[in-house]
């Protein structure tokens, strides 16, 4: 057995989109109610006809800085406290009524906080009718001559409209008259005194350009949305909410006499994807008074309550729907065309939204708190839907709009997704206590103005010849006139014929009792002949009338043919014009799309340009700041350079003077010391000369450097000559005892094999002393293979010393094998090689200055006391060198 495959739910088709349709923004108007008697401070100011300004009340801070902030909001039009209901209707509701009669839909709703005048704007008061009664009066004032008879149009249960013939409509009227069906109040009945003078007749407007070849019919319905449930205010059982139901015997149907709550209605979607209230009662009305009487009957059942802010505060959203059905007349212009597809149904929804409120201010408790919560939640859903619609249209996104979250948004879904005009009247209270709520209302209104709704398309033109009704009436009038001219009025002719028929002589008695009766038959024959003459007269009159009518019809037909030819030519021209108009519309639509795209690109470029300009401005400011800082630093640097240059110059002059002073002092000191030494030498020479005996032999001469014979003997310099100059080069050593320079054996000598690691970045200093390592492998980058062949390792490292000279370090180490089979280096010793410049004079004086020594000097020269004394003076204290070894001064570089 094969199981039947479960079918998928078919996808709902998208909303109907008309090709080439255009869109218009939601029209938002603002109305400011007068300030109450108990209100002291006003927070709203009307600046112009389209702008208002909100002032923060005293003691209220609108931002964190504590500053008062004034905000301005623009609308399509702003109505001040002195505006009349007539001016308000002319600007707001009159265009919607014109579209309604033209077959287009419209939505008008009032929005604001509680107590801001929404119900007064929509309904009005005696003598000052609001938007609703004025719309009804304008509708019936425009279509009154063209209304169809009652029950010609009949609504079905699926938001459709049916057309009945006049016979069916007559039977329907008779059935409703005999059946106990509650009758709607007619215009002839006396109106409720509360609404009798709601509007003046002279204030009623009239629509121009009403289609005379159509029949019209108006249906009204009235519902309220209370706690997110829909209730029918025109339901008959709703009047007896507190009464029990009784049967025919006079006993209650239910054992208890509790009140029976009204049944809520549900929303449905018709075949055109339009939302409607299923089971809602729709009443056909024939006058504005009758329609407003029906509205007032439902208005008395609406949920209202007394709060701290409003004596009659609406606790529900009310929706009054005006449905206008229109169908073209037939070709003869007498009856409505019996074609359901030719019926056009348009509706105008007038919505009075309940005001948003705060329970803390209204003092609501119990049921009122629940009502306020549902009202605020539905208004929040409305704001959310508007916000998402705006985001989808401006940003090109496709977010889902949560219409189903609230009944009020779900009911009017087709207005925002479909087509039709949408207008909103924002009612505000200038009282300072409502400032916060009014601020939220202004923001919502500003956002709503950016939402666009598809513009309704024009109704298709019927194929019949226009002007049928007027032509039919003219034909009847002309026929009556012709008949009057040729034989009197139509009614007179019919009366003559009736009189002729009635004036026929009665037939005499035809009973023959005697066969010799010669009176009865001749009398009967005479009566029949008279009747025949009268009949012939009637036939002749009928033929004459028929011929006359036939000639008139032929004349009219000829006129009709010529007229149809003219109309056909006009229709051809009209089709050509329509094609031109369609092409023009397509071109306009293309250009509008292009303009919209370019405007969007311009907006993006403007925003980008603004961002770039802001960045440029900030970068320019930063650049100027940095340039100023750089100029300050440069000027500071120049001042510091000048100051340092001055300080260096002053210090240089100061040290030059100090050096000159020290040099002079040192020269004077040395001269004094030399003079003292000369005196001591003179004394020593005198002592030696006196103690020497003539018979004592001279000691044997020693081999010394021989001085030239022409070298004069040393003499003490005089003070005028100054101290003797020292030689910059060391004195030559004696030839007999040459001193060998000490040689230190290098530690690297031996049988070990070395790795000489000299990096490629080292500099060649060109020094005489270079480290020479025998049996070495020279590398710039050591490797494991190279280390495995050697036992010792030396790294030549260069660095800059503290005195600015390059210092060379020889870092030595032993190469050792690791357990893993690799090689490691353990450093053991560091040798340092340093190079110094010869820019400082030697510190030691040499005795051979002025008398260079030669290699031929003998030992006798050392036996000379003066020479030995001079050598003794030159010897350093603690020196280990003998008398035959000259000390050489080592030139050291003095640290700066």
């Amino acid at each position: 057995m094969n199981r039947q495959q479960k079918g998928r739910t078919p996808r709902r088709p998208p909303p109907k989109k008309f090709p080439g349709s255009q869109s218009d923004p939601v029209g938002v108007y603002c109305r400011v109610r007068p300030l109450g008697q108990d209100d002291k401070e006003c927070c709203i100011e009307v600046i112009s006809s389209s702008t208002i300004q909100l002032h923060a009340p005293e003691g209220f801070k609108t931002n964190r800085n504590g500053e008062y902030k004034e905000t301005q909001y623009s609308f399509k039009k702003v109505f001040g406290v002195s505006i009349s209901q007539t001016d308000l209707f002319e600007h707001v509701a009159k265009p919607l009524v014109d579209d309604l009669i033209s077959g287009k839909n419209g939505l008008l709703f009032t929005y604001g906080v509680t107590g801001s005048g929404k119900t007064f704007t929509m309904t009005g008061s005696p003598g000052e009718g609001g938007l609703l009664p004025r719309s009804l009066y304008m509708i019936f004032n425009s279509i009154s001559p063209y209304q169809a008879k009652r029950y010609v149009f009949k609504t079905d249960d699926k938001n459709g409209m049916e057309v009945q013939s006049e016979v069916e409509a007559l039977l329907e009227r008779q059935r409703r008259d005999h059946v106990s069906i509650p009758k709607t109040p007619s215009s002839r009945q006396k109106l409720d005194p509360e609404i009798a003078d709601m509007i003046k007749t002279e204030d009623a407007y009239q629509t121009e350009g009403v289609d005379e070849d159509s029949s019209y019919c108006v249906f009204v319905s009235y519902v309220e949305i209370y706690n997110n449930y829909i209730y029918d205010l025109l339901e008959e059982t709703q009047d007896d909410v507190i009464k029990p139901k009784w049967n025919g015997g006079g006993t209650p149907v239910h054992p208890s006499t509790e009140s029976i709550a009204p049944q809520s209605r549900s929303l449905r979607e018709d075949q055109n994807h339009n939302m409607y209230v299923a089971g809602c009662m729709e009443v056909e009305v024939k006058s504005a008074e009758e329609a407003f009487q029906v509205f007032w009957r439902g208005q008395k059942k609406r949920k209202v309550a007394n709060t701290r802010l409003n004596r009659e505060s609406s606790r529900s959203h009310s929706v009054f729907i005006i449905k206008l059905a229109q169908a073209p007349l037939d070709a003869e212009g007498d009856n409505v065309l019996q074609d359901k597809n030719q019926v056009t149904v348009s509706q105008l929804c007038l919505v009075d939204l309940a005001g948003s409120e705060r329970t803390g201010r209204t003092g609501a408790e119990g049921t009122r708190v629940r009502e306020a919560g549902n009202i605020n939640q539905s208004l929040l859903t409305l704001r959310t839907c508007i916000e998402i619609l705006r985001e989808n249209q401006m940003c090109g996104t496709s977010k889902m709009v949560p219409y189903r979250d609230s009944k009020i948004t779900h009911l009017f879904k087709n207005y925002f997704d479909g087509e039709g005009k949408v207008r909103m009247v924002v009612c505000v209270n200038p009282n300072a206590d409502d400032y916060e709520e009014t601020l939220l209302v202004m923001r919502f209104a500003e956002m709503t103005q950016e939402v666009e709704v598809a513009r309704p398309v024009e109704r298709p033109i019927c194929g019949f010849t226009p002007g049928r009704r007027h032509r039919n009436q003219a034909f009847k009038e002309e026929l009556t006139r012709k008949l009057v001219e040729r034989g009197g009025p139509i009614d007179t002719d019919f009366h003559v014929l009736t009189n002729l028929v009635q004036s026929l002589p009665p037939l005499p008695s035809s009973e023959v009792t005697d066969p010799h009766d010669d009176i009865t038959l001749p009398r009967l024959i005479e009566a029949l002949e008279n009747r025949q003459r009268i009949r012939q007269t009637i036939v002749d009159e009928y033929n004459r009338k028929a011929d006359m009518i036939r000639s008139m019809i032929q004349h009219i037909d000829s006129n009709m043919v010529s007229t149809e030819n003219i109309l056909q030519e006009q229709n051809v021209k009209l089709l050509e014009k329509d094609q031109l108009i369609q092409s023009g519309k397509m071109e306009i639509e293309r250009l509008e799309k292009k303009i919209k795209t370019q405007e969007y690109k311009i907006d993006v470029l403007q925003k980008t340009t603004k961002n770039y300009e802001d960045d440029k401005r900030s970068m320019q400011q930063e650049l100027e700041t940095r340039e100023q800082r750089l100029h300050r630093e440069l000027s500071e640097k120049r001042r510091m350079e000048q100051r340092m240059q001055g300080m260096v110059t002053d210090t240089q002059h100061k040290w030059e003077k100090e050096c000159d002073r020290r040099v002079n002092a040192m020269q004077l000191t040395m001269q004094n010391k030399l003079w003292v030494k000369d005196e001591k030498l003179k004394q020593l020479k005198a002592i030696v000369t006196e103690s020497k005996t003539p018979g004592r032999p001279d000691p044997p001469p020693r081999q010394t450097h021989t001085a030239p014979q022409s070298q004069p003997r040393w003499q003490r310099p005089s003070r005028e000559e100054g101290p003797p100059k020292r030689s910059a080069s060391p004195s030559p050593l004696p030839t007999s005892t040459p001193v060998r320079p000490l040689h230190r054996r290098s530690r690297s000598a031996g049988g070990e094999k070395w790795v000489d690691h000299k990096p490629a970045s080292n500099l060649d200093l060109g020094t005489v002393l270079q480290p020479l390592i025998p049996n070495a492998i020279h590398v710039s980058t050591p490797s494991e293979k190279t280390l495995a062949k050697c036992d010792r390792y030396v790294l030549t490292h260069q660095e800059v010393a503290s005195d600015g000279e390059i210092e060379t370090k020889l870092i030595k180490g032993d190469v050792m094998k690791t357990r893993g089979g690799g090689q490691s280096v353990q450093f053991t010793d560091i040798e340092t090689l340093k190079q110094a410049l010869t820019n400082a004079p030697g510190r030691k004086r040499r005795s051979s200055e002025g008398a260079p020594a030669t290699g031929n000097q003998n030992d006798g020269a050392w036996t000379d006391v003066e020479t030995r004394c001079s050598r003794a003076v030159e010897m350093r204290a603690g020196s280990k060198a003998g008398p035959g070894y000259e000390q050489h001064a080592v030139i050291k570089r003095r640290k700066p």
Side-chain angles (χ1 to χ4, degrees), residues 473-492:
Q473 293 178 357
F475 172 73
K476 289 180 180 179
E477 293 175 358
E478 183 67 19
L479 181 60
T480 304
R481 188 179 64 81
K482 292 290 185 181
L483 291 175
V484 170
E485 290 178 357
R486 296 187 181 184
I490 297 178
D491 294 340
T492 306

Side-chain angles (χ1 to χ4, degrees), residues 2 25 108 243 264 276 339 342 390 404 437-438 523 551 586 596 644 674 682 730 816 842 848 853 869 891:
N2 295 329
L108 173 63
K243 298 180 182 179
S264 63
Y276 69 97
D339 188 0
Q342 295 294 333
R390 170 179 169 270
R404 294 180 179 268
E437 291 86 348
T438 304
R523 190 171 55 223
S551 63
M586 294 177 63
K596 191 173 183 180
M644 292 301 297
L674 288 176
K682 288 180 180 180
M816 305 176 65
S848 60
C869 289
I891 302 174

Side-chain angles (χ1 to χ4, degrees), residues 808-877:
T808 304
K809 291 185 179 181
L810 301 179
I811 304 173
K812 295 179 290 183
D814 298 331
V815 179
M816 305 176 65
K817 294 184 179 181
T818 60
R819 295 182 180 180
Q823 306 293 328
S824 64
V825 177
Q826 183 178 3
F827 295 102
T828 58
D829 190 10
I830 297 177
E831 292 184 5
T832 302
L833 303 178
K834 187 175 180 182
Q835 183 180 6
L837 299 177
T838 57
N839 53 1
R843 294 184 180 180
K844 296 188 178 297
R845 298 178 59 187
R846 307 192 60 84
S847 60
S848 60
E849 293 179 356
T854 61
N856 299 326
Q857 189 177 0
N858 52 10
D859 293 338
W862 289 94
T863 58
D864 186 19
V865 177
E866 185 176 356
T867 304
R868 288 163 59 190
C869 289
S870 64
R871 295 293 183 186
V873 171
E874 288 290 333
M875 296 292 292
R876 282 198 234 172

Side-chain angles (χ1 to χ4, degrees), residues 372-568:
N374 289 319
I375 291 171
N376 294 335
Q377 182 62 33
S378 61
L379 295 178
L380 178 61
T381 305
L382 177 62
R383 287 194 293 268
T384 303
C385 294
I386 295 295
E387 185 176 357
I388 295 178
L389 275 174
R390 170 179 169 270
E391 183 179 355
N392 290 341
Q393 293 177 2
M394 297 186 67
C395 303
T397 58
S398 58
K399 293 184 179 179
M400 185 185 69
V401 184
Y403 291 116
R404 294 180 179 268
D405 291 352
S406 176
K407 292 294 177 63
I408 190 69
T409 55
H410 195 194
L411 178 60
F412 301 118
K413 168 181 175 293
N414 53 290
Y415 283 95
F416 293 101
D417 284 348
E419 57 182 28
K421 282 189 178 180
V422 180
R423 294 197 172 185
M424 179 177 68
V425 180
V426 177
C427 300
V428 293
N429 189 352
N431 186 13
D433 296 336
D434 294 339
Y435 175 76
E436 295 185 54
E437 291 86 348
T438 304
L439 195 62
L440 296 177
V441 170
M442 292 294 109
R443 292 173 182 172
F444 171 69
E446 187 177 27
M447 178 180 60
T448 306
Q449 293 182 99
E450 299 178 358
V451 176
E452 294 186 352
V453 181
R455 184 180 302 173
V457 296
E458 297 293 336
R459 184 180 59 176
I461 301 176
C462 183
F464 296 107
T465 305
R468 298 184 301 279
R469 185 191 295 269
H470 179 70
R471 193 164 54 250
N472 187 21
Q473 293 178 357
F475 172 73
K476 289 180 180 179
E477 293 175 358
E478 183 67 19
L479 181 60
T480 304
R481 188 179 64 81
K482 292 290 185 181
L483 291 175
V484 170
E485 290 178 357
R486 296 187 181 184
I490 297 178
D491 294 340
T492 306
D493 293 339
F494 282 116
H495 284 300
V496 170
L497 294 175
T498 304
N499 294 332
L500 288 174
V501 173
Q502 292 178 357
S503 64
L504 290 174
L507 293 175
S509 178
S510 61
E511 183 178 359
V512 179
T513 59
D514 189 3
H516 300 284
D517 188 3
D518 296 333
I519 300 173
T520 302
L521 290 177
R523 190 171 55 223
L524 180 60
I525 291 172
E526 183 181 2
L528 291 175
E529 288 178 354
N530 291 333
R531 282 181 173 265
Q532 179 63 25
R533 285 195 301 271
I534 295 172
R535 178 180 178 277
Q536 188 64 34
T537 304
I538 294 174
V539 171
D540 294 340
E541 183 66 22
Y542 174 76
N543 292 330
R544 185 179 64 83
K545 297 288 186 182
D547 293 338
M548 183 180 64
I549 292 174
R550 189 179 295 109
S551 63
M552 291 177 62
I553 289 174
Q554 290 177 357
H555 180 69
I556 291 173
D557 286 340
S558 62
N559 293 334
M560 287 287 292
V561 171
S562 61
T563 305
E564 286 179 356
N565 293 331
I566 295 173
L567 289 176
Q568 189 174 2

